[in-house]
Amino acid sequence: GNSVTQMEGPVTLSEEAFLTINCTYTATGYPSLFWYVQYPGEGLQLLLKATKADDKGSNKGFEATYRKETTSFHLEKGSVQVSDSAVYFCALSEGGYNKLIFGAGTRLAVHP
Amino acid sequence: ETGVTQTPRHLVMGMTNKKSLKCEQHLGHNAMYWYKQSAKKPLELMFVYSLEERVENNSVPSRFSPECPNSSHLFLHLHTLQPEDSALYLCASSQLRGSPLHFGNGTRLTVT
């Protein structure tokens, strides 16, 4: 079946450091890919998405490119802030009713 | 305001109690979902409702009973739960076919 694999956390960075969180997927067909973020005490919020190969999703300085040849959707940000501290989830959608399959999540901690 | 409202935010219940979780969406979406988020485990899809019809039940025990009376409301009825059912229960909604999910802030359930 379809699945999503994320790098294990926690990822600990200093403010203004470069961030990469790896995500790879296994899927039949051509799923849409998403990154969600969860801040403490809250539900998940959509961060960015890509719906086809070579699409680049971007939002709030974060970017991810849908790479079909490597089945990857790595999340990057050039300069992280303390406020980016959260748990990040990679996900793919399958099915006509938009079922999402999530990775295990990667906790990011950014220190001043 | 997330557009998806869950109540209560916190719930503590004994193993013999009966309680219900409520979810309401104000986004005009036609699909609604229940997810379970446990510590150190990936998000688990429990139920999917599309156009008020249940389209997926992921081998969830019968002590969890969903109800979707209309496209804006979703309930999860709970009875005779076990301590391992303690988790964050997240509701989400979406349009069909590849659109992102919008999540509520969840109900933190503790079973004593």
Side-chain angles (χ1 to χ4, degrees), chain B residues 21 28 31 36 43 48 53 57 63-64 68 77 85 87-88 94 96 98 100-102 107-108:
Chain B
L21 310 185
K36 177 183 178 183
L43 276 92
V48 181
E53 179 181 342
N57 175 346
R63 59 185 183 269
F64 295 91
C68 187
H77 304 300
D85 296 322
L88 182 67
S94 77
L96 299 174
L101 269 61
H102 294 252
T107 295
R108 173 70 62 186

Side-chain angles (χ1 to χ4, degrees), chain A residues 69-92:
Chain A
E69 64 277 10
T70 55
T71 62
S72 65
F73 193 54
H74 304 321
L75 182 68
E76 296 181 336
K77 186 174 185 182
S79 176
V80 293
Q81 306 300 312
V82 172
S83 57
D84 293 326
S85 299
V87 181
Y88 292 81
F89 294 89
C90 185
L92 64 82

Side-chain angles (χ1 to χ4, degrees), chain B:
Chain B
E1 174 59 53
T2 65
V4 179
T5 304
Q6 289 187 244
T7 54
R9 288 298 307 272
H10 301 273
L11 177 63
V12 179
M13 60 186 290
M15 293 168 61
T16 58
N17 291 159
K18 289 184 180 182
K19 297 286 184 183
S20 296
L21 310 185
K22 179 181 176 182
C23 176
E24 184 174 0
Q25 60 99 359
H26 312 277
L27 301 169
H29 290 163
N30 46 29
M32 297 188 77
Y33 312 76
W34 280 116
Y35 279 86
K36 177 183 178 183
Q37 186 176 29
S38 306
K40 300 182 181 180
K41 292 177 69 175
L43 276 92
E44 302 171 59
L45 178 63
M46 301 176 71
F47 301 104
V48 181
Y49 277 82
S50 174
L51 299 172
E52 301 155 42
E53 179 181 342
R54 191 191 310 180
V55 295
E56 183 142 348
N57 175 346
N58 271 358
S59 303
V60 179
S62 60
R63 59 185 183 269
F64 295 91
S65 175
E67 178 190 1
C68 187
N70 56 61
S71 61
S72 298
H73 294 87
L74 184 66
F75 295 90
L76 188 62
H77 304 300
L78 315 171
H79 65 98
T80 58
L81 295 192
Q82 305 298 311
E84 61 265 28
D85 296 322
S86 298
L88 182 67
Y89 288 84
L90 292 165
C91 173
S93 69
S94 77
Q95 297 288 13
L96 299 174
R97 299 203 173 277
S99 63
L101 269 61
H102 294 252
F103 284 85
N105 285 334
T107 295
R108 173 70 62 186
L109 173 67
T110 303
V111 181
T112 61

Side-chain angles (χ1 to χ4, degrees), chain A residues 91-110:
Chain A
L92 64 82
S93 71
E94 63 175 23
Y97 47 82
N98 201 30
K99 169 182 170 181
L100 280 188
I101 305 297
F102 285 91
T106 303
R107 183 174 300 278
L108 170 66
V110 180

Side-chain angles (χ1 to χ4, degrees), chain A residues 33 49-58 64-67 73:
Chain A
L33 301 175
K49 69 173 184 177
T51 57
K52 62 183 186 298
D54 300 324
D55 267 3
K56 177 186 283 188
S58 61
T65 301
Y66 190 142
R67 301 285 189 200
F73 193 54

